Amino acid sequence: MATEISVDYPQALPGDFAIWIFIFAELVVFAALFAAYAFARSAHLEMFDAAQATLDRAYGYANTLVLVTSSYFVARATQSIKAGRATRCGHWLAGALGLGGVFLALKLAEFQQDLAHGISLSTNLFYMFYLSLTFFHFMHVVMGMAILAVVAYKAYAGRYGAADHAGVETGASYWHMVDLVWIILFTLVYVVH
Amino acid sequence: MKLPQAIPLKPCTVSWFALLGLTTITYELSARAPGQALMALVLGVMLVKAHLIVSDFMGLRHTRLLWRIVMAAYLAVVGGIIAFTCLTA
Amino acid sequence: MKFQSQKVAIPYFVGALALFLGQIVFGLIAGLQYLNGSFLFPELPFDIAHMSHTNLLIVWLLMAYMGAAYFIVPEEAQTELYSPRLALVTFWIFLTAGALTILSYLFVPYAHLAAITGNAALPTMGRGYLEQPLPIKVGIVLVALSLLFNVTMTLIKGRKTSINLILVGSLWGLALLFLPAFYFPQDTVKASFGWWWIVHGWVEGDWELILGALLGFILIKMTGVDREIVEKWLYIIVAMTLISGIIGIGHHYYYTGAPAYWIWLGTIFSAFEPIPFILLIAFSFKMLLARRREHPNKAAMLWALGTPLMAFLGAGLWGFMITLAPAQYYMHGTNFTAAHGHLAFFGAYAMVALAIISYAMPLLRGRIANSAAAQRWEMTGFWIMVLSMIGIALALTGAGLVTVLLQRAADDPMSFMQVQDKARVFFWLREFAGLAFFIGLLVYLRSFFIAGEYGYAGEMKQALAA
C-alpha cells in the first residue's frame, strides 16, 4: 500500500488578493454595526429584549441552515474545480444560488410579516437595528449571488480548470464572508437576550 | 468480492454537519430563560461556527499563520464586544 | 494622444483653469470680508462673493471632468469621439452660461434676477450651490445631456473597458443627481433632503467614482501596470464607496426634521466613508511600487499620488471629525465644516482634475511630457498649493474650535459676532494661507507658458554630468 505523503505548505489566501481587501473592509463595516447594536442594546436592555421576543426565530433558524448549506455547496464547488470537474463545480454553484434564492425569499416573507405588523425603522431602536442590519446583509446576499452567478456561468462555459481555479475561489471567499457575518448577526439579533 | 470501503468524509462535510447541529443548538437555546451561563454558551457556539466557516469553508486552515491570526483576532474582538456589553448591561 | 478628437479636451481644461483662478480671487475677497465686513460693500456683498466662489468651484470642476471624459473615453474606447463638433459647441455654451451666471450675480440684485428669470413659475433659486437662475439650470442639464450623448455613443461604438464604464456610468449619475435641483418644495425638510442629494450626493458618492476612474486611467498609463489589476481595485473602491456613501449621506439629516433613525444610520455609515479613500491610497501606492516604467511626466505622478493622500486627509479625516452625530451636535455649521469643505474639495476633486490636466495637457500639446523646467514650476505650484490649503484648513479648524468652545459647548455662550471677533486671528491666518495658495496657483499656471518638451538626451547629459 502506497503511503501518501502530504506536506502542508502554508499558502496564500484563496482566490484573488483584491477580494480579500474587500472582505476585510466589509468585515470591519459589519463589526462596527455589531458593536453599535451591542452597545445600544446594553443601554436599552429591557426594550431590546421585549422587542426581540416578538421576532419569529424560526425564520432566523431556517435561514441560517439555508445559508450554511449554500456555503457548503460553494466549498464543494471549489473542491470540484480543483479536481478539474468544471460541470460539477457549476452544479454545486447553481445549487448554492438556489439556496441563496431561498434565503432571500424567507427574508422577504419575514420583512412582509414585519410590515404587516406596522413595524418600521421608526418603531424603536431595536427594530431600527434589526431592519437595517438584516437589510444591509440582504443586499450583500444579492451581491454575493451576482458574483456566484458570474462564476457559475464561467464554470459551465469551461473557463476554469484544475490549474486555473482562482476565479472560483475568489467568488467563494466572498460568499463565505456573507455566511460568516450572518452567523454572527443571527446570534446577536435573534438569540442573545 | 471486495467490500465497499468507508468513504472518508471531507473536512468541509464534517463541518457542514457540525454547523447544522450547532445552529439547532443555538435555536434551542434561544427560547431559554436568559442568564449569563446561557449567554456564554450561545457566544461560544457562535465562535465555533464562525471558526468552522473560516477554516474549512474559506479554507484558511491551509494559509499562512498571519491570516489565521487576523481572522481569529477579528472573531475575538467581535465576540469580546458582545460579551462585554452583555456583562455591563 | 491617440485620436484627433481628444483635442476637444483642450478648451475644457483651459476654461477650467481660468475659472479656477476666478474662484480663488473671489475666495480671497470673501476671506477679507470676514475681517472687514465693509470691504467692497455695497458693490460686492459677502453673499455674492461667497456664492461666486462656490459656484465657480462647481463649474470649473465639472468643466475639467468633462474635458477629462472627452480625453479619456475615446482613448479607452479606441475610437474617435462620436461628435467633436458637438463637444466644442457644448463647451462654448457652457462657458458662456457660466460667465453669464457670475456676471448676473455681480450686476443684478439677486431678487431681481430671480424675478426676471421665471423663478416664480418654478422656484429653484436660493439654496447653496444652486443659486443659478432657472434658465441656467436648464442649460446645465442640456450641457450634461450633450456630454452624455457624445461619450455614450463613443462608448457604444468602441471598446468597453471597465474604466470607461465606470467613468461614463458615473457621469450619468452626476446628471441624474442634479435633477433634485428642480425640486424645491415649501416643506423645508423635504427641500433639504433633495438639496443634499445634489452636491453632497456627488462628493460622497458619484464623484468618488469619477475620481477613481480618472486616477485608474492615469496610473495605467503612467505605471504600465496590467489593466486587469487596476480594474479589480477600482471595482472594490466603487463598491466600498457605494456601501458607505449611499446611507452615509444620512449624516446630513441629523436634527433637520428627518426621522431620528438617521442619527444612527448616518453616524454609522458615514464613519465608513474614509474606507474608500484608504483603499485609494493603498491602490495608488501599490501601482507605483509595481510600475514597469518611469514616465517622464513626474509632475503628473506627483498629482496622482498626492490626490488620494489629500483626499483621505480632507474628505476622510476632516470629514470623520465632524460626522458622528454627537460631534455634529456641537460642530454643525461652524468653521469645522468649512475646513472640511476646503480640504476635501481641493484634496479630492480639484487635485484629481489637476492630475488629469497635468497628464493630458502635454500630450494634447504634442509631447509626452513638459520640459524639466516646466515640471519644476508645476511641482513647486503643487507644493505651495497643497501646503497652503492645509494651512487654510488648520486655520478654519481653529476658528471652528473657538465657536464650539465659546458658543456651542459653553456654560455661558457668547453671541455669534463676539465669537467671530475672538476667532479673528484664525481668519487672518486663513487669509494669508489663501494668499499663499493664490501664489501657488500662479506658479502652477506659469508652468504652462514654458516652452519645450521633455528631452531624454538633455536630461541624460545633465544626469551624467551631475
Side-chain angles (χ1 to χ4, degrees), chain A residues 16 18 21 29 121-122 125 128, chain C residues 232 236 261 264 268 272 279:
Chain A
D16 201 303
I21 306 242
V29 167
L121 285 168
S122 296
L125 198 55
M128 195 285 288
Chain C
K232 262 184 277 189
I236 289 171
Y261 53 76
W264 284 91
I268 296 171
F272 302 142
L279 293 177

Side-chain angles (χ1 to χ4, degrees), chain A residues 59-77:
Chain A
Y59 273 116
Y61 172 54
N63 260 344
T64 312
L65 297 182
V66 168
L67 211 53
V68 160
T69 306
S70 82
S71 213
Y72 169 67
F73 281 14
V74 168
R76 292 302 300 266

Side-chain angles (χ1 to χ4, degrees), chain C residues 74-85:
Chain C
E75 180 148 345
E76 285 286 294
Q78 298 281 330
T79 174
E80 292 285 356
L81 189 67
Y82 181 77
S83 169
R85 182 192 299 266

Side-chain angles (χ1 to χ4, degrees), chain A residues 8-14 17 20 23-24 26-28 30-31 34-35 38-39 41-42 45 49 56-58 60-61 64-65 68-73 75-76 79 173 176-177 179-181 183-188 190-193, chain B residues 10-16 19-21 23-27 29-35 38-39 42-43 45-46 49-51 53-54 56-60 62-65 67-68 70-71 74-75 78 81-82 84-86 88-89:
Chain A
D8 265 347
Y9 289 109
Q11 295 165 3
L13 286 165
F17 186 65
W20 282 95
I23 287 174
F24 287 134
E26 293 262 55
L27 285 175
V28 168
F30 273 103
F34 295 149
F39 280 104
R41 176 180 174 272
S42 73
L45 201 56
D49 283 353
D56 193 343
R57 293 190 176 111
Y61 172 54
T64 312
L65 297 182
V68 160
T69 306
S70 82
S71 213
Y72 169 67
F73 281 14
R76 292 302 300 266
Q79 290 173 348
S173 299
H176 295 315
M177 186 277 292
D179 187 25
L180 176 66
V181 290
I183 294 288
I184 302 172
L185 200 160
F186 166 65
T187 309
L188 187 60
Y190 286 82
V191 180
V192 168
H193 61 278
Chain B
K10 297 189 156 112
C12 74
T13 307
V14 176
S15 298
W16 176 45
L19 282 164
L20 296 182
T23 302
T24 307
I25 291 173
T26 307
Y27 179 60
L29 293 175
S30 72
R32 302 281 174 93
L38 178 93
M39 205 55 46
V42 165
L43 286 181
V45 169
M46 179 189 90
K49 283 159 76 182
H51 174 74
I53 291 173
V54 169
D56 294 333
F57 285 4
M58 283 181 164
L60 257 62
H62 307 290
T63 58
R64 287 171 56 194
L65 184 63
W67 301 122
R68 282 177 280 154
V70 167
M71 272 299 187
Y74 176 79
L75 294 175
V78 171
I81 289 172
I82 298 173
F84 173 78
T85 57
C86 285
T88 56

Side-chain angles (χ1 to χ4, degrees), chain C residues 6 67-77 163-164 167 214 217 356:
Chain C
Q6 287 176 287
Y70 289 127
F71 180 81
I72 293 174
V73 172
E75 180 148 345
E76 285 286 294
I163 291 211
N164 248 0
L167 180 59
L214 297 191
F217 174 80
I356 187 71

Side-chain angles (χ1 to χ4, degrees), chain C residues 203 208 211 237 241 272-282 307-309 311-313 315-316 348-349:
Chain C
V203 298
E208 282 182 48
L211 189 157
I237 290 165
T241 300
F272 302 142
E273 286 186 27
I275 295 176
F277 290 105
I278 294 171
L279 293 177
L280 271 173
I281 295 178
T307 300
L309 282 172
F312 171 69
L313 209 61
Y349 299 120

Side-chain angles (χ1 to χ4, degrees), chain C residues 201-404:
Chain C
W202 283 349
V203 298
E204 290 177 56
D206 196 71
W207 282 15
E208 282 182 48
L209 312 188
I210 296 183
L211 189 157
L214 297 191
L215 216 51
F217 174 80
I218 297 171
L219 288 171
I220 285 182
K221 294 290 168 185
M222 297 199 68
T223 63
V225 170
D226 277 349
R227 175 176 289 277
E228 215 175 82
I229 298 172
V230 171
E231 287 172 348
K232 262 184 277 189
W233 275 92
L234 280 184
Y235 279 123
I236 289 171
I237 290 165
V238 167
M240 265 340 275
T241 300
L242 297 178
I243 285 171
S244 60
I246 291 175
I247 309 176
I249 200 171
H251 59 171
H252 297 292
Y253 307 155
Y254 307 155
Y255 323 117
T256 57
Y261 53 76
W262 281 113
I263 290 182
W264 284 91
L265 292 182
T267 296
I268 296 171
F269 280 88
S270 67
F272 302 142
E273 286 186 27
I275 295 176
F277 290 105
I278 294 171
L279 293 177
L280 271 173
I281 295 178
F283 161 61
S284 356
F285 282 84
K286 228 175 137 63
M287 295 308 105
L288 175 75
L289 292 176
R291 70 187 180 280
R292 296 219 192 116
R293 62 163 100 88
E294 295 293 338
H295 198 283
N297 194 343
K298 301 273 178 261
M301 202 64 195
L302 185 62
W303 284 111
L305 294 175
T307 300
L309 282 172
M310 289 295 287
F312 171 69
L313 209 61
L317 216 57
W318 251 256
F320 185 79
M321 203 156 64
I322 57 176
T323 194
L324 305 181
Q328 181 64 201
Y329 185 78
Y330 293 104
M331 293 169 158
H332 182 87
T334 64
N335 277 302
F336 275 107
T337 311
H340 161 57
H342 278 83
L343 204 55
F345 257 120
F346 177 71
Y349 299 120
M351 279 180 70
V352 77
L354 297 177
I356 187 71
I357 290 174
S358 178
Y359 171 74
M361 268 311 255
L363 296 168
L364 290 166
R365 296 165 88 185
R367 44 179 102 134
I368 179 136
N370 288 326
S371 66
Q375 288 195 42
R376 269 196 297 278
W377 277 89
E378 186 177 347
M379 292 195 280
T380 310
F382 168 95
W383 285 110
I384 299 176
M385 280 195 277
V386 164
L387 292 175
S388 51
M389 187 51 84
I390 292 176
I392 290 177
L394 288 174
L396 289 172
T397 304
L401 201 59
V402 169
T403 308
V404 168

